[in-house]
Amino acid sequence: MEKKTIKIAKLTDEQLAQIKEVEKKLENICLVAVEKQDALFVLEAKLAPNHWELVSDVYPEIEGMSSYFSSKEDALLAKSSLKNLLKVLKAKGVVKRPIRVRKLT
């Protein structure tokens, strides 16, 4: 099985200028241009009925956690690891929430 990686897009000067204009409007936001893939997979935690947030936002105490993955297999492995880690962190008061992998197209 071929491992997919996220590749930085090669931009023209005009495209780069357009991105910088959008960044100015968004103030403290930095945009990153990557080559388009079939899909990305996102790991989310449920906060309320029909309310899902990125796991990196829900669990900020876990440093270096990623919410986006280029393959479903990587996302499912991260989900499994996160669920096991949350069992350990439960003693420290971290709330374990339902977690899902969602495909972004």
Side-chain angles (χ1 to χ4, degrees), residues 23 32 47 60 78 84 95 98:
E23 286 179 335
V32 178
L47 298 178
N84 288 329
V95 177

Side-chain angles (χ1 to χ4, degrees), residues 34-47:
V34 297
E35 290 183 9
K36 191 170 186 174
Q37 298 182 2
D38 294 337
L40 283 176
F41 296 87
V42 63
L43 202 55
E44 299 174 317
K46 188 175 187 177
L47 298 178

Side-chain angles (χ1 to χ4, degrees), residues 49-95:
N50 297 319
H51 183 192
W52 296 82
E53 294 288 333
L54 299 175
V55 292
S56 56
D57 293 340
V58 174
Y59 300 108
E61 56 274 342
I62 303 173
E63 293 182 30
M65 182 171 33
S66 179
S67 294
Y68 293 98
F69 300 88
S70 58
S71 76
K72 186 173 184 176
E73 293 80 17
D74 289 344
L76 290 172
L77 284 171
K79 175 183 176 181
S80 175
S81 297
L82 177 59
K83 288 175 79 171
N84 288 329
L85 179 60
L86 291 174
K87 288 177 188 174
V88 173
L89 293 177
K90 187 176 182 180
K92 294 184 179 183
V94 176
V95 177

